[in-house]
Amino acid sequence: MRYKRHKIKITREDLKHDGFVDFISKCVELYNVNRLKILTVTICVGLVLISGLAYRVYLGKVSDKASFALYEAANVGDMEAVFDRFPGTDAGRIALYLSATSYVKAGDTGKALGLFEKFINRYPSDYLIPNAMISVSCIKMDSGRGNEALDLLGRLVDEYPFSYVAPEALIYKGMILEQEGNLHEALIQYKKIAETYPGSFWVNDAEQKISILGSNLKL
């Protein structure tokens, strides 16, 4: 009589189960070997998360204080104080810009110039940078520093071509070039406004300048 082995049928589900058990066993073994490292990393990550949350809460409180201080500011001195106390907040940034514009209105262009330049250097990515650059350019134009203003206006147009103050910058560039006697280059700046910014507030002024300079140059 021939001996017959009993065939044991192993299903795919059994294989999956055995594989899962092996995987769990390996994970447990790995944890036991590296338990101290895993606990250390877990604690460090937890501390970082807690510290980050605490810092965000702190920044929120500082921002609220800065906003309230700016709201309470009664004069330009108070606004400068807000910036000095809270330079890293939105309120501090706005306070610096408003301080500069307040000095312009008061006629103290020297103080305004210093604050605008501080604003540009401190917040180079701020959306108000083109406005600050225009203000600095105008102050320098009025003080006879036309070449410096011309350079700054050129930077503004190159770096912020889609800003609503870009055509204004071109107008001022044209005016400075006219004063310097460079009429051909001034005409080019005015034409850029009419061609590139046809819907701008400055188009009418540019077209008048184009007409006058065209006649003078007999174009």
Side-chain angles (χ1 to χ4, degrees), residues 9 29 36 38 53 56-57 88 107 113 124 170-171 194 198 203 212 216:
K9 186 177 181 181
E29 182 181 353
L36 183 59
I38 293 173
L53 180 61
R56 288 186 64 181
V57 172
L113 179 61
L170 289 173
I171 278 285
V203 167
I212 294 171
N216 292 339

Side-chain angles (χ1 to χ4, degrees), residues 48-61:
V48 169
L49 291 175
I50 292 172
S51 299
L53 180 61
Y55 185 64
R56 288 186 64 181
V57 172
Y58 167 76
L59 288 181
K61 290 182 179 180

Side-chain angles (χ1 to χ4, degrees), residues 65-106 111-112 115-116 118-119 123:
K65 287 182 180 179
S67 297
F68 183 74
L70 180 58
Y71 175 76
E72 291 288 304
N75 52 56
V76 66
D78 292 342
M79 286 188 285
E80 285 189 88
V82 173
F83 167 73
D84 291 337
R85 290 178 59 196
F86 309 102
T89 65
D90 287 339
R93 169 181 56 80
I94 294 171
L96 178 59
Y97 184 83
L98 292 178
S99 298
T101 57
S102 295
Y103 278 115
V104 171
K105 293 177 182 178
K111 184 70 173 178
L115 293 180
F116 275 128
K118 182 185 291 188
F119 181 86
Y123 310 104

Side-chain angles (χ1 to χ4, degrees), residues 1 3 23 124 143 161 173:
M1 179 176 171
Y3 174 73
F23 173 73
S143 61
K173 283 187 69 178

Side-chain angles (χ1 to χ4, degrees), residues 1-6:
M1 179 176 171
R2 181 180 295 177
Y3 174 73
K4 295 182 179 180
R5 288 192 304 171
H6 291 286

Side-chain angles (χ1 to χ4, degrees), residues 159-194:
E159 296 176 12
Y160 304 94
F162 302 111
S163 171
Y164 74 95
V165 299
E168 183 178 1
L170 289 173
I171 278 285
Y172 294 149
K173 283 187 69 178
M175 291 170 59
I176 295 172
L177 290 165
E178 276 194 80
Q179 292 173 359
E180 293 178 349
N182 194 343
L183 303 186
H184 285 282
E185 187 61 33
L187 184 61
I188 291 173
Q189 304 306 313
Y190 297 137
K191 285 183 176 180
K192 284 182 182 178
I193 299 172

